[in-house]
Amino acid sequence: MSQHPVVEWTSEASWAMVEDKFTPYGKETLAKLIKFMEDEILPAIKVAHAQIPDDPATRWKTVIPIVEELKVKAKKLGLWNLFLSKAHYPEYGVPLTNLEYAVMAEILGRGGHFAPQAVNCSAPDTGNMEVLARYANKEQQQKWLVPLLNGEIRSAFAMTEKNIASSDATNIRTSLRREGDEIVINGHKWWISGAGDPRCKVHLVLGKSDPGNKSAYHQQSIVIVPANTPGVNIVRPMKVFGYDDAPEGHCEIIYDNVRVPVGNLILGWGKGFEIIQGRLGPGRIHHCMRSIGAAQNALDTMLRRVTDPARKTFGKFLYEHGTVVADIAKSRAEIESARLLVLSAALQIDKVKAKGALKEIGIAKFVVPSMALEVIDRAIQSFGAEGVSQDQELAKAWAGLRTLRIADGPDAVHIQQVGLKELKRAPALVERDREIKKKQALLMEKAGIKAHL
């Protein structure tokens, strides 16, 4: 029996661990995705970059033609909305588990921003679709979720605010105030991914609707804001180490007396914190899944470079110099370790949903991006100056991954949460140790051995 093609893209050992957890449909879809990556997506990446104009007048109005062509092909192949598991979203999902999607997302991670877009699995749309599928009413779903699922529009999630510490969502200052049958929104957001895209038709805005509530976690609500609503003012696209990530971008936005119907409120007043916790769990692990693919791609790129006869120096291949072989080994080991973290977190989400897998998600969130950055940095070093240039994807990949140590909660927050969760185990550990020592004392007394303090 021939091996599944995923072995050539990940590793034989990791596939052996999860193969029996894949359905026949999951295996078939994974194989189909790999072929689509090889035949269509990867050859199209340079074309996609070239189709984004440098002229600011048109750069932010561009819908990349080849990506739209890829979307049509992907949909015909059934490679569409792979992230949305039917087990959690019976009405809208596909028959894939989070574990199955984890492996697929790693494959997509090799294709930068464009590969997930081609199969309608791009952030922030994925998280927004999950919010609308889980919490929105039927009318809201028909108006906004269905076009997103069809890939007809794109979206933004407006949470992070300027001049406050947004990693603590209770600090959010954007005002949501009811006036008659309308909600009035006033606030200053930034780093709002996707808002620059001409296809972005809707923002999900987190704001403070009940600042006087005694519970800091029931003061926030989320409201649907059509992107063309009067008062929605995009100030500028923010740059990440000089990259603007056009045409989607990460925008600074001022909501100035924006008015929307009360019917645009999602789930109810004071439900914002509950919604963002449900949204961020899966989103965090999706980023980690793709990061594994980006790291693997960087290692593969490095291997091609250091074995290239044209790149010999002083009569030797690059891998024959210094610590290059050691760097390759470290990268391989770190990718394998991180992949197991991600797969275990995905499996936990399937078993107990995201809320029950917060520890596993948190560990992956602060381990995986740092690992990927190290791997990419080693690859950059093997290229010399070319590694930090626009002629290789490594510099842009590094810049994007560096943001993941901040986005969806900075490393320090996840480390603190995981550490505190571990500390809760201490009383049980002390009690278990006490019981073992009691048994030990009885055995020593019975054996006539004198205990020494």
Side-chain angles (χ1 to χ4, degrees), residues 158 174-178 182-189 203 205-208 223-226 229-232 254-261 264:
T174 291
S175 165
L176 304 181
R177 188 181 75 256
R178 179 166 184 168
E182 293 182 319
I183 299 171
V184 183
I185 302 123
N186 282 283
H188 193 165
K189 305 281 190 178
H203 301 183
V205 180
L206 176 74
K208 195 160 280 190
V223 65
I224 297 168
V225 177
T229 307
V232 177
I254 292 175
Y255 296 92
D256 182 14
N257 284 317
V258 175
R259 291 177 176 269
V260 297
N264 283 24

Side-chain angles (χ1 to χ4, degrees), residues 33-62:
L33 177 65
I34 289 169
K35 183 168 173 49
F36 190 60
M37 282 287 290
E38 291 175 337
D39 294 348
E40 302 284 354
I41 294 177
L42 294 178
I45 287 176
K46 283 195 178 296
V47 176
H49 281 299
Q51 288 180 338
I52 303 172
D54 291 328
D55 181 2
T58 54
R59 186 171 177 81
W60 296 97
K61 297 176 182 177
T62 299

Side-chain angles (χ1 to χ4, degrees), residues 106-268:
E106 176 180 339
I107 304 300
L108 291 169
R110 290 167 168 264
H113 291 307
F114 300 123
Q117 277 189 48
V119 295
N120 212 40
C121 291
S122 281
D125 297 333
T126 49
N128 291 340
M129 284 188 266
E130 287 179 330
V131 164
L132 293 168
R134 181 178 296 174
Y135 301 110
N137 61 40
K138 289 295 178 187
E139 184 181 344
Q140 292 167 343
Q141 289 176 342
Q142 192 60 38
K143 188 169 184 178
W144 301 112
L145 174 59
V146 171
L148 280 167
L149 288 169
N150 291 337
E152 297 162 3
I153 65 171
R154 297 209 63 189
S155 62
F157 189 78
M159 175 177 166
T160 304
E161 297 191 1
K162 195 171 184 179
N163 300 321
I164 67 161
S166 298
S167 57
D168 178 357
T170 63
N171 287 333
I172 295 300
R173 292 177 183 169
T174 291
S175 165
L176 304 181
R177 188 181 75 256
R178 179 166 184 168
E179 284 189 7
D181 293 332
E182 293 182 319
I183 299 171
V184 183
I185 302 123
N186 282 283
H188 193 165
K189 305 281 190 178
W190 70 342
W191 296 105
I192 308 307
S193 297
D197 196 311
R199 298 162 297 176
C200 180
K201 302 302 181 186
V202 62
H203 301 183
L204 303 189
V205 180
L206 176 74
K208 195 160 280 190
S209 54
D210 186 8
N213 195 300
K214 290 181 180 179
S215 169
Y217 302 103
H218 291 92
Q219 297 177 356
Q220 307 84 9
S221 300
I222 292 181
V223 65
I224 297 168
V225 177
N228 62 355
T229 307
V232 177
N233 301 314
I234 294 181
V235 178
R236 57 174 175 160
M238 305 302 298
K239 292 184 179 181
V240 178
F241 295 109
Y243 295 102
D244 63 8
D245 291 337
E248 297 90 3
H250 315 281
C251 296
E252 182 177 351
I253 303 174
I254 292 175
Y255 296 92
D256 182 14
N257 284 317
V258 175
R259 291 177 176 269
V260 297
V262 170
N264 283 24
L265 181 70
I266 298 179
L267 192 61

